[in-house]
Amino acid sequence: KKKLKISGRELLSVPRQVFGLDQLQVLEMSPERESCLRYRMEQLPQEIGRLRNLTCLYVDSNNLKKIPAEIGTLSRLERLTLSNNSLSSLPAEMGALQRLRSLHLANNSLTELPAPLCQLRSLTFLDMSDNRIVTIPSSIRHLEKLETLLLLFNSLESLPEDVCLLRNLHTLWLGNNHLRSLPAAFGELVNLDWGYNYCSCNFEGNPLERPPPEVCSRGPEGIRDYFSSLRRI
């Protein structure tokens, strides 16, 4: 068996029989997105590390408070969804998931961008919306392949200059934070088409002053011109 879905409103733990399925590639323990249900599992057992062939692990909408260090042994994992849980931290061992391309962490209790994420060189999709993130460390520059970064509904007051080194970004959502300014090199993110595709970059709900919102709507060239004019003054 290569794919397994376990469901049930009273789901509290992973059945032990699962860990004998050493060929398992997809394990889903999340309610259907449309159902608005929440399962009750509070932690993944250490035995999750036995499933060495897993490529996709879905554990959204539970009550997870901790991820075991053994998650780092899942060397083939490409997709990990942990949204809608109660996570306040992530184990450093997650940095070993070098094939991970998509990581969902929306609606947890994280307060900063965890350091292990910056070691995930293959990551292309990172959703950290609706946490309590107040800072993004400059080490985010290590996510050089990142294409999608969702940071809506957090408490960001500033962005590190190193965000501007993520030249592969196509989608960046920053809505509903506390941003008053953008880094001077923000216009170098040329793959974001502000103003042309609304879904590519979202600033709504921020008290932006520098540059003003109307400048952002002109796209990367407008932002570059704006900061260039400031340097000439």
Side-chain angles (χ1 to χ4, degrees):
K1 193 174 183 65
K2 294 186 177 182
K3 183 175 181 179
L4 177 64
K5 177 177 175 62
I6 303 174
S7 61
R9 188 181 301 216
E10 301 301 315
L11 182 65
L12 293 173
S13 61
V14 185
R16 296 296 170 184
Q17 301 93 314
V18 171
F19 303 120
L21 303 174
D22 55 5
Q23 297 304 309
L24 196 62
Q25 295 178 4
V26 179
L27 176 57
E28 183 173 352
M29 296 177 288
S30 303
E32 299 294 336
R33 291 185 178 181
E34 305 79 34
S35 68
C36 297
L37 287 177
R38 204 176 180 109
Y39 293 169
R40 299 172 56 193
M41 187 161 47
E42 294 191 358
Q43 65 179 21
L44 286 175
Q46 296 176 344
E47 290 84 354
I48 196 72
R50 296 180 187 173
L51 303 178
R52 300 296 178 87
N53 286 301
L54 273 188
T55 59
C56 300
L57 177 58
Y58 303 93
V59 208
D60 298 288
S61 300
N62 277 273
N63 193 28
L64 293 177
K65 295 178 171 61
K66 184 179 180 181
I67 302 298
E70 286 74 12
I71 195 81
T73 65
L74 303 180
S75 59
R76 298 188 179 185
L77 203 61
E78 298 178 3
R79 185 177 179 87
L80 176 59
T81 67
L82 296 166
S83 296
N84 303 316
N85 280 288
S86 301
L87 297 170
S88 58
S89 63
L90 299 174
E93 288 78 6
M94 276 188 61
L97 301 178
Q98 292 303 307
R99 292 193 185 183
L100 197 65
R101 299 177 60 83
S102 180
L103 177 59
H104 296 215
L105 290 165
N107 194 24
N108 276 282
S109 299
L110 299 166
T111 57
E112 61 182 358
L113 191 69
L117 303 190
C118 298
Q119 303 170 35
L120 302 177
R121 299 301 178 90
S122 294
L123 201 62
T124 60
F125 185 101
L126 176 57
D127 182 0
M128 298 192 68
S129 304
D130 201 10
N131 281 280
R132 295 180 298 169
I133 297 173
V134 296
T135 59
I136 301 177
S138 60
S139 54
I140 192 174
R141 66 181 180 274
H142 296 309
L143 299 179
E144 53 198 31
K145 294 184 179 180
L146 196 61
E147 297 179 0
T148 300
L149 176 58
L150 307 185
L151 289 164
L152 294 86
F153 293 99
N154 281 291
S155 301
L156 292 171
E157 295 185 356
S158 63
L159 294 176
E161 288 284 344
D162 286 359
V163 166
C164 304
L165 298 176
L166 302 178
R167 300 296 169 81
N168 286 311
L169 273 183
H170 291 276
T171 302
L172 176 61
W173 288 4
L174 295 166
N176 294 90
N177 278 279
H178 305 307
L179 296 172
R180 293 187 176 277
S181 65
L182 300 176
F186 206 76
E188 301 303 317
L189 297 175
V190 294
N191 286 317
L192 292 175
D193 54 347
W194 299 281
Y196 308 106
N197 180 355
Y198 174 79
C199 292
S200 289
C201 199
N202 177 291
F203 295 108
E204 286 187 356
N206 284 287
L208 272 181
E209 298 173 353
R210 182 174 173 174
E214 58 269 21
V215 171
C216 294
S217 67
R218 299 173 195 161
E221 291 184 6
I223 290 183
R224 285 200 300 271
D225 292 345
Y226 171 81
F227 282 109
S228 294
S229 67
L230 292 180
R231 286 192 287 269
R232 290 196 293 269
I233 294 177

